[in-house]
């Protein structure tokens, strides 16, 4: 028998899993430093929720893992972390505002698997529910910048406004009923270029004049065209706040549309300078209402952890979780060796112990291969003489300590 | 529209999610201190794997979330973390041994939902693949003890041996073909007591004499009855190692059987002194082979995170992730306030910032309610005078600092 991982999904073996966890931990620490708190929701949701207007719609059935349980309930695996958040916000109106939550978890799509495209992947979402202030959008951008900088990435965070796009479309003669269709085409600018988008718009009978405005891509021009209306003032303040706080990675990009239709104001996209988009988001002031909640302005972003991992995997080095290997010279010294390991762990040191009953040579080899920095062998001399040698596995240099001087050993290990 | 969480599953709102995460982090840190590394596998697995001999068998379909995807593949949500581990160990024979991995993740059962019993729950597994030494079993017990002690729980870790039980059953006249049936009944001792188990055994035509042996529950008696055979010597050494390392919570319990049939040697169960079992495991030397792998001895344990959370929820206090709240006295001071918040975060301090455009009084109230220890207001005096007051929200005492003296402020916050 030979069992494989399910199509489009993948295992993370330790080397890779450690890197993934490093990225997730970094996200988490950053979110928490801004006062975001964790929220967890089930991976299985009612299909009615996933297919509700405002989220996926009935057509989502084709794109997700849909099934019926034994009680004939229609269920599905969540395809993002925003819809469950909106459900929770809608059904818990007593949640204190601002409700700042983060969630790092897997989501599921029944896409055609492609290179670097999986059917199970991990998102790290951070959202603020309850504030309609541009300060909330600004905080989302700050968090995103902090995460990307801490990962050592070269990136841009593109910023635009759905509201501005709509005003602009109106001004360029796009009929109200055609605005969505228009944006769907504009959303392809990155992929197929302005010429093809222009053709698409014409085929849809939409005035392609808006493409000229977009191609200029100047906030000043937008201001001229639309005047000092609310959505222009808001985006201007957002860009000013970013600039004044030294976030030079934040740039205005009039071509940024973002596919999802629930966005109502600012939209964001984080993209590597030499690489793909790794995150996106924006303001979605109507979504919580759609799920039966009280009107609740909301804004947030989502990082694709797998995308970040893909771009960092080759350069990230995450060492072993242990600093010391303790090896008995033979089986009869296991107890003495184990006691030393136990005591060292109490000093907050990671200690691996020989559970294979291997020779000391094999254990030293193993410790070196794993990058464990220090090695202690325990045999008759050590047990009787009550002294041990702590060997640096790299240089081979040794220092002697009393077998009970765990503070001394810990000092060496921590400074090493 | 009103959407609810799926039957038998639950959301973890921030207060609860923080506690759950605290427990998971503690498990993770402990696992890592022993050299266990993370491994992640998909939540969706081939049904053939979940239903393989050695794991659930075809009948598992009734107990799990089973479905077909759009490609007519038979799939299911994983019901434990051991079966995926065995699949990975079987299909990656080059993994370095010992392969010590941990995994904290959700698993799914289509049980009847009951109080404190969920259809989605979180397990924290830690296993050692590749060692048949009793030292590996010992390490598993050490880790389990460390986790439970660090959580401040009063507990026992019951230890027994499947091999000893089988020898004992043989000696008590249980026919080889009836051993499993016999153990299934003995497994109910905790729930229905010896009298009912005795009746059950008689009804199955099994000699109930073994119940007497169990009721004495003495390792010395077992030794007398079976002599110095391999499995007795192994358990004796395991108990000795635990005793000599000060793990007085580890106790021999001859009535411990554990339901799953893949156990081949030692079996473990962690139980609260005044409460339920919160974890279990044991040695399963044949499982990796069952999934097509090379013969790979294995041992491990699994904690039920939800069970641990249930017993700790009322006593755990997990504070806010931020220590400082920065509030502009009015909107025009947002930029100055935001700059201070940004600089303080660079000193490693968690800082919340007003994203609601609230009055300073409301912000102070909010900070107090959230347990945020320090509060800084920024208005005209602060902006012009370049000095700020850092208020302790509890006592109300204030200390003044230069607005750019973030090191000074950080020092106060970190010592506070």
């Amino acid at each position: 028998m030979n069992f494989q991982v399910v199509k489009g999904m993948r295992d993370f073996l330790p080397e890779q899993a450690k890197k993934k966890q490093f990225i997730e931990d970094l996200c988490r620490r950053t979110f928490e430093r801004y006062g975001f708190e964790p929220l967890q929701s089930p991976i299985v949701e009612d299909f009615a929720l996933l297919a509700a207007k405002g989220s996926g719609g009935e057509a989502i059935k084709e794109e997700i893992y849909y099934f019926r349980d034994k009680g004939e309930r229609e269920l599905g695996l969540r395809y993002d972390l925003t819809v469950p958040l909106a459900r929770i916000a809608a059904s818990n109106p007593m949640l204190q505002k601002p409700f700042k939550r983060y969630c790092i978890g897997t989501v599921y799509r029944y896409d055609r698997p492609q290179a670097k495209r999986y059917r199970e992947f991990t998102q790290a979402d951070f959202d603020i529910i309850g504030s309609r202030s541009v300060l909330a959008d600004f905080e989302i951008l700050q968090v995103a910048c902090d995460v990307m900088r801490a990962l050592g990435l070269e990136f841009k965070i593109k910023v635009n406004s759905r509201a501005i796009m709509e005003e602009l479309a109106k001004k360029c003669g796009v009929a109200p009923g055609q605005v969505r269709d228009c944006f769907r085409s504009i959303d392809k600018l990155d992929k197929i270029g302005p010429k093809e988008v222009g053709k698409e718009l014409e085929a849809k009978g939409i005035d392609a004049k808006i493409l000229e405005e977009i191609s200029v891509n100047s906030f000043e021009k937008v201001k001229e065209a639309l005047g000092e209306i609310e959505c222009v003032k808001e985006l201007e303040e957002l860009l000013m706040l970013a600039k004044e706080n030294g976030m030079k990675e934040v740039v205005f990009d009039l071509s940024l549309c973002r596919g999802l239709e629930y966005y109502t104001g600012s939209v964001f996209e984080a993209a590597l300078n030499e690489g793909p988009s790794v995150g996106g988001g924006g303001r979605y002031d109507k979504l919580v209402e759609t799920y039966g909640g009280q009107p609740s302005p909301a804004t947030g972003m989502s990082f694709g952890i797998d995308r970040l991992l893909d771009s960092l995997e080759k350069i990230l080095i995450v060492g072993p979780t242990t600093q010391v290997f303790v090896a008995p010279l033979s089986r009869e010294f296991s107890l003495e060796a184990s006691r030393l390991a136990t005591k060292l762990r109490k000093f907050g040191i990671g200690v691996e112990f020989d559970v294979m009953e291997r020779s000391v040579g094999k254990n030293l080899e193993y410790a070196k291969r794993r990058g464990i920095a220090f090695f202690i062998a325990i045999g008759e001399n050590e047990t009787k003489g009550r002294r041990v040698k702590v060997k640096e596995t790299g240089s081979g240099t040794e220092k002697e300590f009393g077998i009970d001087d765990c503070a001394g050993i810990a000092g060496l290990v921590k400074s090493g």
Side-chain angles (χ1 to χ4, degrees), chain A:
Chain A
M1 265 187 299
N2 197 352
F3 296 98
Q4 268 149 19
V5 70
V6 168
K7 190 173 178 190
M9 306 200 177
R10 58 172 167 169
D11 295 319
F12 293 89
L13 296 184
E15 273 317 295
Q16 208 181 12
K18 281 199 290 187
K19 292 176 183 177
K20 182 163 182 266
Q21 200 152 74
F22 174 87
I23 296 170
E24 291 177 10
D25 286 347
L26 189 145
C27 287
R28 207 179 115 189
R29 273 200 313 277
T30 309
F31 301 158
E32 292 187 346
R33 204 181 307 131
Y34 283 79
F36 289 78
E37 298 195 316
L39 177 76
Q40 279 186 36
S41 62
I43 278 163
V44 181
E45 291 275 6
D46 265 330
F47 178 66
L49 176 78
L50 303 177
K53 200 173 153 261
S55 53
E58 187 69 24
I60 201 78
K61 198 182 275 186
E62 295 312 310
E63 293 165 40
I64 65 166
Y65 287 87
Y66 158 90
F67 61 99
R68 285 169 188 269
D69 72 5
K70 274 123 213 141
E72 283 297 310
R73 283 176 208 92
E74 291 190 87
L75 305 175
L77 305 188
R78 66 184 180 194
Y79 59 83
D80 73 4
L81 302 172
T82 312
V83 168
L85 170 63
R87 170 179 62 70
I88 289 169
S91 56
N92 293 280
M94 71 306 197
L95 282 171
Q96 206 179 330
K97 303 291 182 314
F99 180 53
K100 291 163 64 172
R101 86 88 176 84
Y102 72 88
C103 179
I104 301 176
T106 50
V107 300
Y108 300 81
R109 309 250 171 106
Y110 195 83
D111 281 336
R112 231 172 97 175
Q114 300 167 33
K116 310 264 174 207
R117 201 114 181 221
Y118 303 97
R119 288 177 167 182
E120 174 182 69
F121 51 97
T122 303
Q123 291 191 328
D125 278 32
F126 51 108
D127 295 80
I128 301 174
I129 310 269
S131 169
R132 64 181 72 251
S133 168
V134 72
L135 293 172
D137 299 292
F138 171 60
E139 182 156 292
I140 295 295
L141 293 182
Q142 273 192 304
V143 172
C145 258
D146 270 13
V147 165
M148 302 283 284
R149 286 178 181 176
L151 288 172
L153 295 166
E154 310 249 303
F155 66 99
K156 292 265 172 296
I157 299 185
K158 302 178 200 166
V159 173
N160 193 11
S161 158
R162 268 291 176 95
I164 286 179
M165 293 290 277
E166 273 175 40
E167 292 293 331
L168 217 54
K170 219 188 295 174
K171 210 171 163 83
C172 292
V174 178
Q178 289 190 310
V179 171
R180 280 188 180 188
D181 254 357
C182 174
F183 287 171
R184 267 193 214 109
S185 297
I186 290 174
D187 204 28
K188 297 182 193 165
L189 269 172
D190 254 9
K191 280 176 212 141
I192 62 177
K195 213 170 139 189
E196 292 301 312
V197 171
K199 278 189 204 161
E200 234 189 78
L201 289 176
E202 269 170 44
K204 286 175 180 171
I206 298 170
D207 193 331
K209 203 176 129 201
I210 190 172
L211 282 181
E212 287 168 38
E213 295 277 351
I214 289 175
S215 70
V216 178
N217 198 21
S218 143
F219 189 71
E220 290 309 310
K221 290 271 175 210
V222 169
K223 247 168 83 174
E224 268 173 40
L226 299 180
E228 293 263 320
I229 57 173
E230 193 57 28
C231 57
V232 171
K233 281 196 285 183
E234 273 180 16
L235 190 60
E236 185 166 32
E237 189 175 6
L238 184 58
L239 293 169
M240 181 276 289
L241 280 166
K243 198 178 158 201
E244 294 293 325
N245 273 279
M247 291 148 63
K248 59 184 186 317
E249 299 91 342
V250 172
V251 295
F252 172 67
D253 187 337
L254 191 50
S255 73
L256 179 65
C257 244
R258 296 200 57 76
L260 279 169
E261 277 162 17
Y262 56 63
Y263 292 116
T264 54
S266 312
V267 285
F268 317 128
E269 189 164 291
L272 302 182
N273 285 356
E274 326 254 319
S277 154
V278 292
R283 183 165 276 284
Y284 50 99
D285 286 344
K286 301 287 177 204
L287 194 64
V288 175
E289 249 172 293
T290 311
Y291 292 117
Q294 291 165 350
S296 307
T299 181
M301 258 182 97
S302 175
F303 276 115
I305 296 291
D306 303 72
R307 292 274 185 93
L308 290 172
L309 178 62
D310 282 341
S311 35
L312 289 166
E313 199 168 354
K314 289 209 183 96
I315 50 173
L316 259 189
I317 295 169
V318 183
T321 58
T322 50
Q323 294 88 48
V324 178
F325 192 99
V326 177
L329 277 173
S330 72
R331 183 58 199 276
E332 55 184 309
F333 303 108
S334 284
L335 183 58
E336 192 68 47
S338 160
R339 277 191 187 138
L340 178 61
T342 300
K343 278 192 270 175
L344 283 173
R345 287 192 194 104
K346 291 204 174 121
F347 280 81
I349 294 172
V351 184
E352 263 206 76
F353 178 75
D354 172 42
V355 295
M356 301 294 282
E357 305 189 18
R358 280 171 175 158
S359 72
V360 72
K362 286 239 163 111
N363 276 323
L364 181 57
E365 209 179 277
Y366 169 88
K368 278 185 186 169
R369 210 167 44 223
R370 299 258 300 159
I372 299 173
F374 295 95
F375 187 88
I376 304 174
I378 304 278
E380 194 160 359
N381 291 342
E382 288 76 12
T383 307
K384 289 208 176 132
R386 310 309 294 159
R387 297 195 68 77
V388 292
K389 285 185 184 129
V390 182
K391 187 203 280 279
E392 265 189 66
T393 56
S395 64
T397 55
E398 296 184 324
K399 268 199 186 146
E400 217 181 90
F401 290 89
I403 202 167
D404 295 312
D405 181 16
C406 288
I409 300 173
L412 173 68
V413 169
K414 285 181 178 175
S415 70

